[in-house]
Amino acid sequence: MTTQFDRPLVSVITIFLNGERFIREAIESILAQTMDRWELLLVDDGSTDRSTEIALWYENECPEKIKYLEHEGHRNLGMSASRNLGIAVAQGKYIAFVDADDIWLPERLERHLKVFEMFPSAVMVCSPTLYWFNWQSGTNEWAGRWARKKDFVGDLFLPTGALLFSTVSLMRFLGTGNMPAICSLTVRREIVVQVGGFERSFHDLFEDQVFISKLCLAGPIVVIEDVLDHYRQHRDSFCYRAGVVGLELGPAEVQPGREGFLDWLERYLTELSHSDQDLWEELQAQLWPYRHPRLAQALRLKRSVVRQIAPAIRALLPKQLYQWLKLRDKRYFSGNKSRWMS
């Protein structure tokens, strides 16, 4: 007879597509966790390299902890469908994700579960992630402008160790363009099921931001300050191929795929009859560059010109006059923000 103590407390979902280069390292980082009440679900999204063989080897070596899953006919259905397959099979009270090219530090699960114990009403715990460019010492696979990228921690710009509702968390994620990496989330399985998991219409880009938005709107989240996972940056990743690498683009810039995410969020908030005016205003501000591309392009050009000539102007003007003009411009823009965004 199976008791509650025989069941895994956390279901870890790792999706992979031709991930033979890094998948062993990802799996080993799960095996090294200080908390051992977990199951690992390896979801194959139609791989044609040796990653399928590697995943099956780990399942054979540790069948009581590791399960191999694939879509019918070994098809490739995308990230959302693959994570949903893992969610459907998951037995844990909590669900966490680590992709085949990322790793966790040994205390990652233990630290997140302690936070859930402290905040039983939280639907999600997340933490800042190391954007990991220098994962291979002695070599650099980056070309051109990426060649000198350094590792950095993605700041979530939120208070830590407190319950945060969507008015705070989702607004800040939208405003800064920084959301937690998928490898930094631990979520309650019942809430994941309640919100319908991942949206299958988002195959390979912004599917994580859609999912995180649904969770933020479902209940409070908690952010912790510890860096407990490494998000590997490499040229084979989908984000690199799509042109989004290491938070290089800010929220005010036009990003590949972001308009689709923002349009979805607008529809989702409407379906929920969400009434928070501040959140709606932030969303409309983020949609503005996509719905008014010519005005947005002109504004970006103006900012670029101002940045180039500002040092020369500052050198010519008396210090007090320059500061007065700068303050006047800031107040004018703040007072007319709603008009610019309409």
Side-chain angles (χ1 to χ4, degrees):
M1 178 178 178
T2 301
T3 69
Q4 61 174 331
F5 299 104
D6 296 323
R7 300 174 69 88
L9 187 57
V10 183
S11 297
V12 182
I13 297 173
T14 295
I15 63 171
F16 63 95
L17 172 63
N18 297 334
E20 65 176 352
R21 190 178 179 190
F22 305 117
I23 192 171
R24 288 185 186 275
E25 195 173 352
I27 295 172
E28 291 295 334
S29 77
I30 308 303
L31 292 170
Q33 290 298 298
T34 55
M35 195 284 289
D36 64 357
R37 286 188 59 195
W38 52 261
E39 65 173 350
L40 175 58
L41 306 174
L42 300 172
V43 185
D44 193 339
D45 192 23
S47 297
T48 56
D49 68 352
R50 291 188 60 251
S51 55
T52 300
E53 176 186 338
I54 294 168
L56 288 170
W57 183 87
Y58 275 99
E59 180 189 47
N60 184 63
E61 287 294 303
C62 195
E64 71 283 359
K65 303 277 283 183
I66 300 176
K67 298 181 179 66
Y68 170 84
L69 304 170
E70 63 177 336
H71 302 294
E72 184 178 358
H74 199 68
R75 290 182 295 167
N76 168 237
L77 298 182
M79 294 182 181
S80 292
S82 297
R83 291 199 180 104
N84 283 342
L85 176 57
I87 291 167
V89 175
Q91 299 184 63
K93 180 179 180 181
Y94 303 98
I95 291 177
F97 308 91
V98 58
D99 287 347
D101 47 2
D102 303 328
I103 65 167
W104 282 353
L105 301 187
E107 294 185 356
R108 196 279 195 190
L109 281 181
E110 183 178 356
R111 286 284 294 110
H112 277 222
L113 292 183
K114 285 181 179 178
V115 176
F116 273 115
E117 291 176 2
M118 295 170 58
F119 298 95
S121 62
V123 303
M124 176 176 78
V125 172
C126 60
S127 51
T129 297
L130 179 75
Y131 284 75
W132 194 22
F133 286 86
N134 299 294
W135 44 268
Q136 189 171 7
S137 61
T139 63
N140 195 326
E141 67 169 26
W142 299 96
R145 64 191 178 120
W146 307 112
R148 291 179 295 277
K149 288 293 288 187
K150 295 181 179 179
D151 298 347
F152 66 91
V153 175
D155 195 336
L156 299 179
F157 301 102
L158 284 169
T160 60
L163 288 171
L164 305 172
F165 289 85
S166 59
T167 304
V168 175
S169 61
L170 187 52
M171 275 187 61
R172 188 60 57 88
F173 291 153
L174 288 173
T176 63
N178 292 1
M179 281 199 178
I182 196 70
C183 58
S184 78
L185 312 179
T186 304
V187 299
R188 293 188 184 276
R189 189 174 74 87
E190 62 179 320
I191 302 298
V192 174
V193 173
Q194 176 185 311
V195 302
F198 289 79
E199 293 290 318
R200 290 193 60 162
S201 59
F202 288 81
H203 287 232
D204 300 305
L205 198 60
F206 283 92
E207 88 296 336
D208 52 345
Q209 298 201 20
V210 169
F211 180 66
I212 292 167
S213 298
K214 291 165 77 172
L215 293 171
C216 289
L217 291 164
I221 72 169
V222 178
V223 176
I224 61 178
E225 61 184 355
D226 302 328
V227 176
L228 298 167
D229 37 69
H230 291 180
Y231 178 19
R232 193 189 309 263
Q233 307 293 297
H234 60 97
R235 295 198 302 179
D236 294 330
S237 72
F238 188 88
C239 287
Y240 178 86
R241 297 196 303 270
V244 181
V245 178
L247 304 178
E248 188 68 18
L249 297 175
E253 305 297 330
V254 175
Q255 298 182 30
R258 192 167 194 252
E259 182 180 12
F261 157 62
L262 295 172
D263 284 338
W264 170 88
L265 183 55
E266 185 178 49
R267 294 192 301 271
Y268 190 68
L269 289 175
T270 302
E271 291 172 7
L272 294 178
S273 299
H274 203 283
S275 59
D276 187 275
Q277 190 62 30
D278 291 336
L279 182 56
W280 273 106
E281 288 181 2
E282 184 61 56
L283 175 59
Q284 295 307 313
Q286 296 303 316
L287 278 165
W288 186 82
Y290 298 94
R291 294 184 175 176
H292 305 278
R294 292 185 179 179
L295 288 174
Q297 185 177 13
L299 185 59
R300 287 194 295 271
L301 179 60
K302 174 188 172 184
R303 289 172 177 167
S304 176
V305 171
V306 169
R307 281 196 298 268
Q308 292 178 37
I309 66 174
I313 295 175
R314 185 170 186 174
L316 293 172
L317 293 176
K319 183 177 180 180
Q320 289 184 333
L321 178 59
Y322 177 84
Q323 290 178 341
W324 179 81
L325 289 171
K326 186 177 180 181
L327 180 62
R328 180 178 178 275
D329 183 64
K330 181 178 180 180
R331 286 175 176 171
Y332 179 76
F333 180 78
S334 299
N336 290 274
K337 183 178 180 181
S338 60
R339 182 163 64 88
W340 304 136
M341 299 307 177
S342 61

